[in-house]
Amino acid sequence: MPDWFGADKFERAFKSALKRCDISVTERKNDNLYLLSMGQLEIETDTTAVRQRFMKTRSQNTLDNFADELSYRFSLEGRLNSFTNAQSYLRLIVLREDEPQDGMIYSDFAGTLKKAVCYVGERNDIHMLNDKYLRRWSVPKEVLFSVADRNMGRFLAKTDFNFTEITQGVNVVEFEAKGDALVVSTMLCTDFRDFITEKLGYPFLVAAPSRETLLAVHDIPDSIFCSLGEAVARDNKWADSPLTTEIFCFTPDGVSVAAKF
């Protein structure tokens, strides 16, 4: 027999949680799919999972927490409501070749790595941007990459790094990622070349075995290059978030793969 009273209780508790966050139900499309609104913004949400949790816990906190997450989704949507609002939140993110999905805004970078446009939330969480925003804003993809590139330059300027001499005459710039994937993604932006060139000169090599590791070194002897490659392969194998075993060579003409380990 259907749990009619339980279903009614969910509906009442859900609407109570939404009201606390100033969210309204515009339309209930089916048992679990709702169209919600906050001011001029609208989003769809599927309540299947949260309904199941609520039926087990019968706790208002379950739905209050869900409403808080919906409120955050509205704040993200508000940032992307217009291109004027969105510009300062756009960033570049580096992806492996198996990560891009249909609709993502991305292009080739070098080797197996891709360069994609993303945006950041109030919690500094990263969200992928999809092409529905290109249609909403009527802005060419190239403009989004240009704005994100500029913003990454500002991010790079505030990023911590260490400049050290690992052996006689061999200098390294190592960035302190500390779990922030955007630190590794600074290698995608135009200012990265100028920043590293000031420290190391052209050409220089870059390794990013994981999303927690980014280092650059100037042109080095073959013996040290092999040691670097072995370290990159080892770090990549044991990394929580592996990225690539490729070592990239940056020159005034562009970026190429120097070697893959």
Side-chain angles (χ1 to χ4, degrees):
M1 178 178 179
D3 187 0
W4 299 112
F5 292 103
D8 288 343
K9 186 174 182 180
F10 171 83
E11 187 79 8
R12 291 193 300 271
F14 182 45
K15 289 183 176 179
S16 174
L18 295 177
K19 184 177 180 180
R20 181 179 60 83
C21 294
D22 296 321
I23 301 172
S24 302
V25 176
T26 300
E27 180 185 354
R28 184 178 179 183
K29 296 191 170 184
N30 59 41
D31 287 348
N32 292 304
L33 187 62
Y34 290 79
L35 180 64
L36 306 177
S37 62
M38 176 186 280
Q40 300 299 312
L41 301 173
E42 288 188 334
I43 62 172
E44 280 189 353
T45 188
D46 189 321
T47 62
T48 303
V50 73
R51 181 187 291 269
Q52 291 173 351
R53 290 199 301 273
F54 177 77
M55 300 307 286
K56 292 178 180 178
T57 64
R58 301 290 176 158
S59 170
Q60 182 67 41
N61 286 338
T62 299
L63 297 182
D64 286 344
N65 292 336
F66 184 59
D68 287 338
E69 288 304 312
L70 290 171
S71 180
Y72 185 58
R73 280 183 58 192
F74 272 110
S75 74
L76 295 178
E77 188 66 17
R79 291 183 174 212
L80 302 178
N81 194 38
S82 69
F83 184 58
T84 300
N85 290 346
Q87 288 187 63
S88 61
Y89 305 111
L90 300 183
R91 302 288 187 272
L92 297 175
I93 189 78
V94 62
L95 301 178
R96 300 189 309 268
E97 63 181 346
D98 61 332
E99 292 183 303
Q101 299 176 10
D102 289 345
M104 284 186 184
I105 301 171
Y106 71 96
S107 65
D108 292 335
F109 172 63
T112 60
L113 296 186
K114 307 297 181 181
K115 175 172 65 174
V117 181
C118 63
Y119 64 100
V120 294
E122 295 170 6
R123 306 167 184 168
N124 290 323
D125 41 344
I126 297 169
H127 305 268
M128 299 310 300
L129 200 69
N130 61 53
D131 55 14
K132 78 176 183 180
Y133 295 103
L134 289 176
R135 297 188 294 272
R136 175 185 294 182
W137 300 333
S138 298
V139 173
K141 182 169 71 171
E142 292 72 23
V143 172
L144 299 190
F145 276 107
S146 177
V147 170
D149 185 275
R150 179 196 65 200
N151 292 340
M152 289 298 290
R154 294 170 179 167
F155 180 80
L156 173 64
K158 300 176 182 178
T159 299
D160 294 330
F161 68 94
N162 295 311
F163 178 71
T164 56
E165 186 178 32
I166 58 173
T167 188
Q168 186 173 8
V170 178
N171 297 314
V172 172
V173 177
E174 184 175 8
F175 293 85
E176 299 180 12
K178 297 178 181 177
D180 190 338
L182 286 180
V183 172
V184 175
S185 296
T186 56
M187 69 175 176
L188 304 174
C189 74
T190 304
D191 286 357
F192 181 80
R193 297 166 182 258
D194 296 335
F195 181 88
I196 299 298
T197 302
E198 289 179 1
K199 305 289 188 290
L200 303 177
Y202 264 134
F204 60 86
L205 304 173
V206 171
S210 74
R211 298 191 191 280
E212 295 82 35
T213 310
L214 176 65
L215 64 87
V217 60
H218 67 68
D219 203 15
I220 52 179
D222 289 344
S223 58
I224 298 177
F225 185 85
C226 291
S227 297
L228 173 63
E230 291 170 0
V232 166
R234 183 170 58 251
D235 288 353
N236 178 267
K237 179 178 179 180
W238 298 110
D240 291 334
S241 302
L243 193 57
T244 182
T245 60
E246 295 165 318
I247 295 178
F248 302 98
C249 181
F250 283 66
T251 73
D253 296 326
V255 185
S256 61
V257 177
K260 181 176 175 128
F261 290 87

